[in-house]
Amino acid sequence: MGSPWGHSASNQTPVDPSTLESDNPQVMGPAGDVHTTLADIAKYINFHLDRGESQTLLSAATFSKLQTGLIDMDLNGLLYGLGWNVTADGKVMFHSGSNTKWLAQLTINHEKNVGIFIVTNIAGEKADEAIGLVGEFLVKREEALSN
């Protein structure tokens, strides 16, 4: 079975990933657009949870810079820094993004030592709502399991 194809909320027809219409133009992706497997996202999450303690690619000081909120977003205590939204206490950071056909949100909770990655192959308001609900459910589930 192949990988799912993305589609927009306004057009329910999946878009062939080999066509130009399947993604934004590269100029719109400041990081060059990220295309990866779920297994590699799990490695990326663990990399950030580790914060340079057991690997040598980046130092703990570099991780501190990458994961620190720098700009007050004036949104319930959230700060923004180097691509991440970060809580004022620095315990939780998250990033979300969409190319209008896919929607993804990555949350890393350093206090609980857990990362949550939610992705859907449709974008739009309903996908935003669904990702929010799934995220809330997973946080509540994690809290219940911790007690």
Side-chain angles (χ1 to χ4, degrees):
M1 184 172 163
S3 297
W5 290 6
H7 52 284
S8 66
S10 61
N11 181 358
Q12 297 294 316
T13 304
V15 180
D16 182 342
S18 67
T19 65
L20 290 176
E21 295 80 27
S22 69
D23 206 346
N24 291 333
Q26 287 186 341
V27 71
M28 293 178 68
D33 293 327
V34 175
H35 300 92
T36 186
T37 66
L38 295 177
D40 283 342
I41 285 291
K43 291 176 188 174
Y44 182 73
I45 290 169
N46 286 329
F47 184 68
H48 273 280
L49 286 170
D50 181 68
R51 291 182 167 176
E53 293 179 16
S54 65
Q55 53 75 38
T56 59
L57 184 61
L58 298 177
S59 68
T62 299
F63 272 100
S64 179
K65 287 180 185 176
L66 286 172
Q67 299 179 352
T68 298
L70 304 170
I71 301 168
D72 187 349
M73 299 292 291
D74 198 28
L75 298 170
N76 300 320
L78 282 180
L79 303 173
Y80 183 80
L82 301 178
W84 293 102
N85 293 292
V86 184
T87 56
D89 61 10
K91 294 178 182 176
V92 178
M93 57 190 226
F94 66 93
H95 180 85
S96 58
S98 173
N99 68 352
T100 73
K101 297 177 186 57
W102 293 86
L103 177 63
Q105 180 173 312
L106 172 57
T107 303
I108 295 176
N109 185 324
H110 292 290
E111 183 178 48
K112 303 274 187 191
N113 196 38
V114 66
I116 299 171
F117 182 66
I118 305 168
V119 63
T120 179
N121 68 331
I122 190 168
E125 189 175 319
K126 291 190 184 274
D128 286 335
E129 291 174 25
I131 280 185
L133 290 172
V134 171
E136 288 176 28
F137 169 79
L138 291 173
V139 167
K140 288 178 181 177
R141 180 179 180 273
E142 180 64 29
E143 289 171 355
L145 292 173
S146 296
N147 294 330

